[in-house]
Amino acid sequence: MIMSLPEEDLTCPVCCDIFMDPVLLKCSHSFCRSCLKCCWDTGLRQCPVCRKRASKSSPPSNLALKNVCEALMQDRRQSSGLAEEMMNCNLHGEKLKLFCLLDKQPICVVCQSSKLHKTHDCSPIEEARLDCKDELVSSLKSFQDKVNSLKIIQKTSVDMLKFITNQALETQRLIKRQFEQLHQVLYQEESARLAAVKKEEEEKFAAMKDKIKEFSAEVLSLTEAISVIQQQLKEDDMILLKNFKDTQNRCKSINLESVNMSGLLINVSEHLCNLKHRVWEKMLNHIDFTPVILDPNTAHPCLILSDDLASLHYLKQPGCCPDNPERFHLSAEVVAMTALGSGSHQWVVETGSNQDWLLGVASSSVSRSAEISARPENGFWTLCFREGEFRAMTSPPTLLTLSRTPKKVKVQLDYNKGTVSFFDPSDNTLIYAFIHTFTETLLPYFYTQSTHPLRIIPEKVLVTISQQ
């Protein structure tokens, strides 16, 4: 009830303090009994607020208001006593004037002299209050910053969910397209193989028909010869002898050699011999192997990667992609997906008309959220082409003089020997070589701010059959 009433409703209009023994006038205004008496002692028996005349009888006490005011005063006294109790030591009853820096609690001077706190550093209570407030304010700011950071991460996470869905759909589309291309090659090869069988069937069928015609003609010829011989055998002996020479010549003119039927069947072995392997070998003509594949999750938003992740170019209007930790945020950079930690590796990049690029390798741990120079001390071993000049990005950069501007650059890494070399692949001329002892895995590195693409040249796949 006390908390539901504002304090001004419990205040006397005369003394402006909490009512003491309040009385109630007929006009419904209440006053302290002593305050009302003082006002009436001036000779005017009227309400001090509305000036209405009051009766000569003594005004009645406002018991309800009196109870509320007394409860409020009791509550205040209890609060004051509790506050005073809070300011005193529970053990010694002395005022808390010191703050123990080790135990992080207020103590009195007796506590400071006790064994419990004798060796502890202490500070005055006011000084400790300021220090503790400062520390709490610092913690509060830290938590608020953390909350703001988490809210940003939360929003980024929601955006990332949408991006993951789009990524999955786009990846599935590209997979389907590549398989459709492979299917098309297989369908074409299947059609060619079936057509070859059909063509041989027609050829062998026609050949067999010709043979049958030949057989029919020979049968007819032999049948006629048989009839002649049979007729001669029935004739008189003298007639047989007279006609013998003609009959014999006629029989000799008929070819009685054996019929050659070889090679008339379809050459099944030719069509089915290692069919899958031969088709696979033909498919290799339609398949390239790219030694380095770009990682789109690391690409700066202004870099556009090709569907096969083998080329990149710059676009001033940044694309829509999440602000994930792997991504380069400040510079138009991208790295490949496979970390190199041993052995020898090489890849050729077609630079073409691009006039602003860096190529090479970078440590896996290089910062993605800060713009730093591509130097060895920062984890970069790169070749730079800008404003028509080649530079090896040493510290400071080394200007290189080349007899011609190569349209392709071969990057060669020998991790175990600690070398990163750059060549002109047209004649394998060395452009520059870094020597360094590598301590962590490396990633193929690319940078450009040109709309002309950099393209990683695919390699042809060679098949070697090992017979045991």
Side-chain angles (χ1 to χ4, degrees):
M1 178 179 173
I2 297 171
M3 298 302 294
S4 63
L5 289 173
E7 191 168 312
E8 55 265 26
D9 291 344
L10 305 177
T11 302
C12 174
V14 177
C15 66
C16 296
D17 205 347
I18 302 300
F19 288 109
M20 296 291 293
D21 188 16
V23 293
L24 180 65
L25 298 182
K26 288 184 177 180
C27 61
S28 298
H29 292 117
S30 295
F31 305 91
C32 297
R33 188 178 295 277
S34 58
C35 293
L36 185 62
K37 184 177 180 301
C38 288
C39 291
W40 284 358
D41 285 346
T42 59
L44 296 174
R45 197 176 180 85
Q46 60 184 13
C47 175
V49 175
C50 64
R51 304 301 180 185
K52 287 186 178 180
R53 291 187 64 82
S55 64
K56 293 183 179 181
S57 60
S58 179
S61 295
N62 192 338
L63 294 179
L65 184 59
K66 180 180 180 181
N67 292 336
V68 173
C69 292
E70 286 180 353
L72 176 61
M73 294 303 293
Q74 179 66 22
D75 186 60
R76 282 188 175 182
R77 284 191 293 270
Q78 288 178 353
S79 298
S80 177
L82 183 61
E84 188 170 345
E85 185 180 343
M86 288 288 292
M87 293 300 295
N88 294 331
C89 176
N90 292 334
L91 295 176
H92 309 107
E94 297 290 332
K95 192 172 183 180
L96 299 172
K97 294 183 177 181
L98 300 172
F99 186 78
C100 178
L101 299 178
L102 181 63
D103 295 328
K104 304 294 183 185
Q105 62 180 15
I107 60 174
C108 67
V109 292
V110 180
C111 292
Q112 186 187 22
S113 303
S114 67
K115 290 182 179 180
L116 188 61
H117 299 282
K118 190 173 183 179
T119 59
H120 297 175
D121 291 333
C122 300
S123 66
I125 203 77
E126 282 300 317
E127 183 179 323
R129 180 179 65 83
L130 295 176
D131 291 342
C132 290
K133 275 191 174 182
D134 289 343
E135 188 172 338
L136 290 175
V137 168
S138 177
S139 297
L140 177 63
K141 184 179 184 305
S142 176
F143 290 149
Q144 287 173 337
D145 291 343
K146 183 67 175 177
V147 168
N148 293 335
S149 176
L150 287 173
K151 285 181 179 179
I152 294 173
I153 293 173
Q154 186 179 24
K155 182 182 181 304
T156 303
S157 300
V158 172
D159 295 339
M160 199 173 290
L161 282 176
K162 297 178 182 177
F163 188 80
I164 289 171
T165 301
N166 294 335
Q167 243 187 341
L169 292 173
E170 179 64 12
T171 304
Q172 290 170 353
R173 183 187 69 80
L174 294 175
I175 289 174
K176 286 181 179 180
R177 192 176 78 177
Q178 293 202 27
F179 270 97
E180 284 172 1
Q181 292 172 352
L182 294 175
H183 293 160
Q184 186 63 32
V185 173
L186 285 172
Y187 291 147
Q188 290 174 355
E189 190 62 26
E190 178 189 13
S191 299
R193 300 284 174 174
L194 294 175
V197 174
K198 185 66 176 176
K199 180 181 179 182
E200 186 176 358
E201 177 194 13
E202 292 172 353
E203 291 174 351
K204 295 296 173 69
F205 201 87
M208 199 65 213
K209 278 189 172 183
D210 292 341
K211 285 287 184 183
I212 291 173
K213 286 182 180 179
E214 291 177 8
F215 298 155
S216 298
E218 288 183 10
V219 168
L220 180 61
S221 177
L222 288 172
T223 301
E224 291 177 353
I226 290 171
S227 297
V228 169
I229 292 173
Q230 289 176 342
Q231 181 64 34
Q232 289 297 319
L233 290 173
K234 291 178 182 179
E235 294 290 344
D236 188 62
D237 293 343
M238 187 55 67
I239 295 174
L240 183 146
L241 292 174
K242 286 183 178 181
N243 296 332
F244 177 75
K245 185 176 181 180
D246 293 337
T247 303
Q248 189 180 36
N249 289 338
R250 183 171 182 176
C251 290
K252 286 182 179 179
S253 65
I254 298 173
N255 186 10
L256 296 178
E257 295 179 2
S258 60
V259 179
N260 184 10
M261 298 291 289
S262 64
L264 292 176
L265 297 180
I266 291 177
N267 193 348
V268 177
S269 299
E270 177 67 24
H271 294 289
L272 297 181
C273 175
N274 293 317
L275 177 60
K276 293 179 182 179
H277 183 268
R278 287 187 295 157
V279 172
W280 177 60
E281 282 186 317
K282 279 202 169 185
M283 286 188 70
L284 292 180
N285 295 326
H286 303 272
I287 299 172
D288 294 322
F289 172 76
T290 305
V292 168
I293 296 296
L294 303 174
D295 185 353
N297 293 338
T298 68
H300 184 273
C302 287
L303 287 181
I304 307 300
L305 307 188
S306 60
D307 288 345
D308 60 359
L309 304 179
S311 71
L312 66 148
H313 68 274
Y314 183 82
L315 193 65
K316 288 185 178 180
Q317 185 66 31
C320 180
C321 55
D323 193 19
N324 53 299
E326 302 89 349
R327 194 174 304 282
F328 287 94
H329 300 103
L330 299 178
S331 184
E333 303 164 277
V334 64
V335 290
M337 59 176 288
T338 305
L340 310 175
S342 63
S344 180
H345 311 269
Q346 67 178 32
W347 55 95
V348 178
V349 181
E350 184 179 49
T351 56
S353 302
N354 192 310
Q355 300 289 312
D356 185 6
W357 51 259
L358 274 82
L359 301 174
V361 295
S363 296
S364 300
S365 62
V366 294
S367 175
R368 312 291 173 91
S369 58
E371 190 169 1
I372 55 178
S373 300
R375 309 285 178 82
E377 64 268 22
N378 296 327
F380 295 87
W381 295 267
T382 60
L383 180 70
C384 173
F385 182 62
R386 183 172 293 159
E387 297 177 352
E389 294 181 336
F390 284 91
R391 286 181 172 82
M393 296 305 288
T394 53
S395 297
T398 301
L399 182 64
L400 304 175
T401 302
L402 277 65
S403 58
R404 63 184 177 193
T405 301
K407 297 298 182 183
K408 297 178 182 178
V409 174
K410 180 170 74 173
V411 184
Q412 185 170 298
L413 165 68
D414 193 320
Y415 189 94
N416 299 334
K417 291 183 179 179
T419 60
V420 181
S421 307
F422 300 90
F423 296 88
D424 180 349
S426 62
D427 55 7
N428 214 33
T429 302
L430 177 65
I431 300 174
Y432 191 82
F434 289 90
I435 299 176
H436 186 83
T437 301
F438 302 117
T439 57
E440 60 178 291
T441 56
L442 304 175
L443 294 166
Y445 170 85
F446 304 82
Y447 163 92
T448 186
Q449 278 197 322
S450 170
T451 55
H452 297 282
L454 297 174
R455 187 171 71 92
I456 302 162
I457 302 296
E459 299 175 354
K460 285 294 180 183
V461 180
L462 299 178
V463 180
T464 302
I465 299 175
S466 177
Q467 295 183 341
Q468 296 181 352

